[in-house]
Amino acid sequence: MIQLMPIAQLDNSYTFPHPTNALTEPNGLLAFGGDLSAERLRVAYHEGIFPWYSPHEPPLWWSPDPRAVLIPGELHTGRTLRRFIRKHTYQITVNCAFDEVIYHCAQRQEGTWIGADIQKSYQSLHDEGLAHSVEVWYNHQLVGGLYGVSVGTLFCGESMFSKMLNASKCAFVAFYHHFLRHGGQLFDCQVLNHHTESLGAKNIPREIFLQYLYQLRKQSLQSGCWLVQRLDL
């Protein structure tokens, strides 16, 4: 059971402790409590902090060390995936079905933390133009996708899902190139896992990640990045 005593309890303000105050065990746990308003989420991501907790718990806020990132130019697509992409029949879009994407992410075993409150809050963030989705379609059916939060020229990936082979990987590969074409500089993968590592993500010290964040959050993407549109793969 997580011990909450050593960490800060958030009040009605939107102020967070500095990420360097996070616990080492469990890695990155920084604070608990507060609401999930779009404003609080915006502030959290602006400071390199994200929520992650189980339903029926108070919100838990994290900033782990090390931090998993994908640096432009380091995307890895293996031979099998490249062959699949060349033969693909998927259609990929941006911001066409945010509510459906986050819903399907929540149905994954690893997505059980994406409760109704999380879905509602990130939908509000999407309505404000800060959270975005990438969709994969096959025969007009949604079969994969991902969602995350934009912070300047940094994209913070939250979750992805697949109902067909390589659907989420295709979503990411198409989005990777689209994001870079519009001035994107870094992908935040939060915590390294097998899926993101297979695409080229790696761990860097939190201190280095925060240096990137403080610079990139001041920058702007080129116009048109988040318009509803179809992506090339």
Side-chain angles (χ1 to χ4, degrees):
M1 182 176 180
I2 294 175
Q3 172 59 259
L4 296 181
M5 291 300 293
I7 62 172
Q9 180 174 3
L10 301 183
D11 55 24
N12 291 331
S13 72
Y14 296 135
T15 302
F16 286 89
H18 192 273
T20 54
N21 292 320
L23 300 181
T24 56
E25 182 58 41
N27 180 20
L29 182 57
L30 179 66
F32 74 101
D35 59 22
L36 286 174
S37 66
E39 178 62 16
R40 189 183 296 275
L41 287 171
R42 185 193 67 77
V43 172
Y45 281 95
H46 200 69
E47 299 298 331
I49 301 163
F50 58 88
W52 183 61
Y53 62 100
S54 299
H56 312 301
E57 287 183 349
L60 301 177
W61 302 89
W62 304 77
S63 186
D65 186 16
R67 189 78 166 225
V69 300
L70 178 62
I71 296 173
E74 297 188 4
L75 175 69
H76 174 73
T77 53
R79 182 167 50 189
T80 301
L81 180 58
R82 292 196 299 271
R83 185 184 304 119
F84 181 90
I85 289 173
R86 286 196 297 269
K87 298 179 179 178
H88 87 285
T89 55
Y90 293 150
Q91 292 185 340
I92 302 177
T93 57
V94 171
N95 283 337
C96 282
F98 184 90
D99 56 341
E100 294 181 64
V101 168
I102 194 170
Y103 171 80
H104 285 293
C105 287
Q107 307 312 303
R108 298 169 56 240
Q109 182 177 359
E110 300 87 347
T112 53
W113 64 274
I114 308 174
D117 53 347
I118 287 283
Q119 294 180 53
K120 180 179 179 181
S121 297
Y122 280 82
Q123 181 66 55
S124 296
L125 211 58
H126 172 69
D127 293 341
E128 293 192 7
L130 298 176
H132 307 281
S133 61
V134 180
E135 303 87 17
V136 182
W137 308 88
Y138 181 77
N139 287 340
H140 306 292
Q141 299 294 315
L142 183 66
V143 297
L146 62 87
Y147 79 96
V149 178
S150 175
V151 183
T153 54
L154 168 71
F155 184 79
C156 306
E158 279 297 316
S159 188
M160 55 179 60
F161 80 97
S162 285
K163 288 189 170 185
M164 292 184 65
L165 180 64
N166 290 327
S168 63
K169 287 187 176 182
C170 287
F172 186 81
V173 170
F175 174 66
Y176 170 90
H177 294 294
H178 173 77
F179 188 63
L180 296 189
R181 283 196 299 270
H182 287 81
Q185 297 292 318
L186 188 68
F187 298 87
D188 171 23
C189 303
Q190 298 179 348
V191 178
L192 196 65
N193 59 39
H194 175 74
H195 191 71
T196 54
E197 188 173 24
S198 71
L199 289 169
K202 65 182 182 181
N203 281 327
I204 63 173
R206 179 175 57 211
E207 178 183 4
I208 302 301
F209 170 76
L210 292 176
Q211 290 176 12
Y212 279 124
L213 171 67
Y214 298 155
Q215 177 183 2
L216 300 180
R217 69 187 185 184
K218 302 175 185 177
Q219 302 177 6
S220 299
L221 295 168
Q222 297 174 14
S223 62
C225 184
W226 302 122
L227 294 177
V228 174
Q229 58 195 288
R230 181 174 173 177
L231 300 186
D232 296 324
L233 181 60

